[in-house]
Amino acid sequence: MSHIDSHDPEDRFIEAWKQWARRPPARSPAEAAAAVSRRLTVRRERSYWWALAAAAALTVTIALAVHWSDLVRRAAPPGVTISHQETTPMGNGEVLIWLDEETPLYMNFQPPENGQVLENKS
């Protein structure tokens, strides 16, 4: 009984592999070596100028962004002056938060003592 007629998949695979290995090569060793050499040479000749150009453009963009943010942080817009307004002294449990340059927000976290009225701090 032949191995090809066998129902065992492993025996059929081994027989098919042996038949494939007995076939003559499609190319001579010299032709195969020349084909591999040509393929390797073509890959070495490729130029990656576009990747270098993209990296340079990205570097310039990042440098400009850092420089711009530094300039914006240093220079105040013309006509803008930062003034510290006079604040009244705060008591225990009072907190002052400035909402903007002109709007203070006073918060009191203690109940009034004996019906005292809080000072007007508007």
Side-chain angles (χ1 to χ4, degrees):
M1 181 170 143
S2 169
H3 285 292
I4 292 179
D5 295 337
S6 171
H7 293 293
D8 184 23
E10 186 176 345
D11 289 339
R12 290 193 330 228
F13 174 79
I14 290 172
E15 189 60 34
W17 183 263
K18 287 179 182 178
Q19 287 178 1
W20 180 83
R22 283 187 223 121
R23 292 185 333 191
R27 293 182 182 174
S28 70
E31 289 173 336
V36 168
S37 177
R38 275 194 309 271
R39 286 185 143 194
L40 292 176
T41 304
V42 169
R43 290 201 177 193
R44 282 190 206 139
E45 291 175 359
R46 269 192 188 167
S47 176
Y48 293 104
W49 63 268
W50 55 270
L52 293 174
L58 182 63
T59 303
V60 168
T61 303
I62 291 172
L64 286 175
V66 168
H67 182 67
W68 174 310
S69 67
D70 189 40
L71 287 178
V72 168
R73 218 176 320 128
R74 284 187 196 170
V80 173
T81 58
I82 299 173
S83 64
H84 297 291
Q85 297 182 358
E86 294 293 324
T87 60
T88 57
M90 294 188 298
N92 288 339
E94 290 185 352
V95 177
L96 170 63
I97 297 177
W98 286 93
L99 300 177
D100 58 28
E101 290 93 18
E102 300 175 0
T103 312
L105 174 63
Y106 290 91
M107 294 185 287
N108 187 346
F109 292 101
Q110 290 194 3
E113 295 176 9
N114 301 328
Q116 278 185 333
V117 177
L118 296 177
E119 298 176 21
N120 184 9
K121 295 188 178 186
S122 57

